Structure formats: structure tokens, C-alpha cells
Amino acid sequence: MTIGNLSSKIRQMPSAHTVVMVALQPIPIKNRNIPQKRLDEQRQTNRKVLNEVLRWVLQPLTYKQNPNAESGYYNVLCADGNVRRCKPVLAAWLADCPEYSDLHHLERHVCLWCECPKNELGDYVPSDKQHPRRDHNLYRTLSDASTKAADAELSSRHVHRGFNVFRHIPCIVSNLPKPDLLHTMQIGMLDHLQKWIFHFMKTHEWLDKYNAIWLSVPAYHDLTPKNKSYEEVSQWNGKEMKEMSRYLLGVVTQSL
């Protein structure tokens, strides 16, 4: 937890203690080689445990604890024992995309901002045909209804049924995701771009030239020398992705 209006100079000083650990999230063990039914049940239990922890941590921000939370400022008991007029706001949550799905009670591999169908992810959508934004107040109402029709509606929107603390906090939940560049750009979009370039070069029979130029990139400062061509690399790690992003444009330009 941190205070939002601190200057970056103060925030980045470890001695200032501007960031305070409030709680540790439970991290379940990875389940492998178990039946799918049992795996789904365990994942549902994991989501419930995570939401109970978040409910305890974020309870002062919820409608139930503070009915006037949505209207603006209200009295808050501070650590020094004084009561002050404050407006606590949940502004961001840095995490990976799979963790966002668990936090927001959504299925995996869906858009966190809008209700775009899974088969249309990545497609261009004109401005006049944008998909509706995710309405977590609606999800809360449908989940509380506990009817077959409500459950079917949640399922059609790729939303899990059950309690979710973010649906009880006065904030725009779809604006909370603030993904880090590593997982969104270098491991997400860059990986997609790599595969597209590879198939493009292969289709136009430029792959041999592309691999030769790839291997010719020299070691420079913290760039390591290449001992494998692009198609010989079976798995990329984060460091390799970061390095590759610095010379990919030059390799593609020379190949063309």
C-alpha cells in the first residue's frame, strides 16, 4: 500500500518507507496430473480463499463498511490514532494477466476491459462497434440472484459466480489493471510479432537470409553473441526477449 500523491523522488527512497506491506496473498501449489474435475474444484477453492483475504484487507473501502464511500470523503482512523477526512481509492494492481483473471473472478484468456468474445480477441474493431465495457455491478447483481438464468448469463460473459471484493468497492474495476511491460509487450505482443515475422519470411522464402542476419548480430555491451538461429530457439525467457527487442527491427529491415 502506498500514498498516491508522493513525488517519485521520495517514493523511490527505501529509507522513506513509502510502500507498506499490508498482507501476503496465499499462493496455492501447482496442481499437476490430477483429474480435470478435481482441478476445477481446487481452482474454485483457491479463488474463494484469495477473495476472503482481499475482503479482509479491502473491507474499509467497501460499500458495506462505509455507505458514503461512493459519495466522496469520510472519516478514517489513521495509524497515529487521529481521525481524518480521507478518500481512500484503489487505483492499481500490478500483476500478471492470469492473476488478474483470478482477482476479477473472470475466466482465463478473456479481455479484462470489455466483453469481447474469445474468438475475436486480437481482431480490429471499429469505433462504432466496440464491445460493452465490463459492468462489475451487473455481475454482482447476477451473482447475488443465484438463479439458473443468472448463472447462465454470467457464464455467457465468461464470469465466475460467487463473491468478488472488487464488485463492492467504489471504483471502475476495468481501470485497475496496470500490467507491467514485461508480460504485456515483451512476452505477449512481441511473441505474437515474432511468430508473424517468421511465417512471413518462410512464405516468401527469405527465412535462410533472416536466420543468417540473425546470427550475424554481434555482441555489444550487454548483448550476448548468438549461437542459434531464430528457428533453432525452442523457448524464450524474459531476458532473451528483452535483448531481442533491441535488434529485431534491424534484422527484419536488412532481411527485406
Side-chain angles (χ1 to χ4, degrees):
M1 180 181 67
T2 185
I3 298 176
N5 59 355
L6 294 176
S7 67
S8 59
K9 183 178 180 180
I10 297 177
R11 189 188 304 279
Q12 295 172 6
M13 293 173 55
S15 59
H17 303 290
T18 58
V19 178
V20 180
M21 185 181 71
V22 179
L24 290 173
Q25 293 183 33
I27 302 177
I29 61 174
K30 294 184 178 180
N31 299 297
R32 295 187 175 93
N33 301 324
I34 63 175
Q36 186 63 39
K37 182 179 179 181
R38 183 181 172 189
L39 180 62
D40 294 339
E41 291 175 351
Q42 186 61 48
R43 286 176 176 172
Q44 184 178 2
T45 301
N46 295 342
R47 287 194 298 269
K48 288 182 179 178
V49 173
L50 177 62
N51 268 277
E52 284 301 318
V53 174
L54 292 176
R55 186 212 295 260
W56 180 81
V57 173
L58 302 176
Q59 187 177 12
L61 303 181
T62 59
Y63 295 115
K64 186 176 181 180
Q65 185 76 8
N66 290 286
N68 296 325
E70 189 175 14
S71 61
Y73 295 86
Y74 54 92
N75 294 332
V76 175
L77 179 62
C78 297
D80 57 3
N82 295 319
V83 177
R84 293 182 174 87
R85 296 289 289 176
C86 300
K87 186 180 181 180
V89 176
L90 187 64
W93 196 295
L94 285 173
D96 300 341
C97 288
E99 189 175 8
Y100 279 127
S101 300
D102 294 336
L103 291 173
H104 295 174
H105 238 44
L106 303 176
E107 296 179 5
R108 298 292 177 88
H109 310 298
V110 299
C111 181
L112 304 173
W113 285 268
C114 69
E115 296 182 348
C116 175
K118 288 185 177 181
N119 60 345
E120 295 183 16
L121 286 175
D123 296 344
Y124 172 74
V125 180
S127 57
D128 58 336
K129 296 182 179 180
Q130 294 289 329
H131 298 288
R133 297 289 294 269
R134 292 202 172 275
D135 187 353
H136 289 265
N137 289 324
L138 174 62
Y139 302 158
R140 179 182 61 190
T141 303
L142 293 173
S143 182
D144 294 341
S146 298
T147 62
K148 290 185 177 180
D151 292 347
E153 183 70 17
L154 288 173
S155 180
S156 67
R157 299 170 186 264
H158 306 293
V159 179
H160 293 297
R161 180 182 173 277
F163 174 81
N164 181 254
V165 68
F166 291 108
R167 300 172 189 168
H168 297 262
I169 295 177
C171 64
I172 301 176
V173 182
S174 59
N175 288 341
L176 291 179
K178 299 291 186 290
D180 57 316
L181 291 178
L182 173 64
H183 290 89
T184 54
M185 296 295 293
Q186 294 179 338
I187 297 183
M189 296 178 65
L190 190 56
D191 179 65
H192 177 75
L193 179 62
Q194 274 184 290
K195 294 175 181 177
W196 186 90
I197 292 174
F198 175 79
H199 289 294
F200 177 82
M201 295 294 178
K202 187 176 182 180
T203 301
H204 293 277
E205 300 181 352
W206 294 336
L207 192 56
D208 291 339
K209 185 178 181 181
Y210 181 71
N211 285 325
I213 297 176
W214 184 280
L215 288 170
S216 67
V217 176
Y220 181 76
H221 288 297
D222 56 342
L223 289 180
T224 57
K226 311 295 174 293
N227 53 13
K228 290 183 179 180
S229 64
Y230 172 77
E231 58 182 334
E232 291 177 333
V233 179
S234 59
Q235 187 174 1
W236 294 85
N237 58 39
K239 181 180 178 181
E240 291 173 337
M241 280 280 193
K242 187 176 181 180
E243 284 191 3
M244 182 270 296
S245 64
R246 296 165 60 184
Y247 56 80
L248 177 63
L249 179 61
V251 172
V252 174
T253 302
Q254 291 300 314
S255 300
L256 298 178

